[in-house]
Amino acid sequence: SLYEFWKKTITIALNDELKNEELFINLASNEYFNAVDIKTLKTSVITPEFKDYKDGKLKMISFFAKKQEE
């Protein structure tokens, strides 16, 4: 698959850019971030969830989550 083809290359490039103990915040969609091997990244990954408070509950609204990526 394309994910497997690019995973090692992308992960190495990210590790080359990361500084020691630098914070890594993933704002990519799940689809794009599947091309990264998070097990071999040299830092922890934080993936925020953008939710909307509606009817007394927090809900993931895919429209808002996608809008944040632009």
Side-chain angles (χ1 to χ4, degrees), residues 7 11 33 36-43 45:
K7 189 172 281 202
T11 305
F33 204 63
V36 176
D37 184 1
I38 60 171
K39 293 177 185 174
T40 60
L41 279 179
K42 63 182 182 181
T43 191
V45 177

Side-chain angles (χ1 to χ4, degrees), residues 6 11 21 24 34 47 55 61 64 66-67:
W6 286 105
T11 305
E21 297 184 30
F24 188 98
N34 282 334
T47 303
D55 300 326
I61 308 296
F64 293 137
K66 290 179 183 178
K67 188 173 183 178

Side-chain angles (χ1 to χ4, degrees), residues 9 15 20 31-32 35 56-57 63:
T9 302
N15 277 331
N20 193 26
E31 180 182 14
Y32 284 112
K57 297 179 183 178
F63 173 77

Side-chain angles (χ1 to χ4, degrees), residues 5-7 10 20-25 55 69-70:
F5 179 82
W6 286 105
K7 189 172 281 202
I10 291 171
N20 193 26
E21 297 184 30
E22 185 174 20
L23 185 62
F24 188 98
I25 301 175
D55 300 326
E69 295 173 14
E70 296 178 343

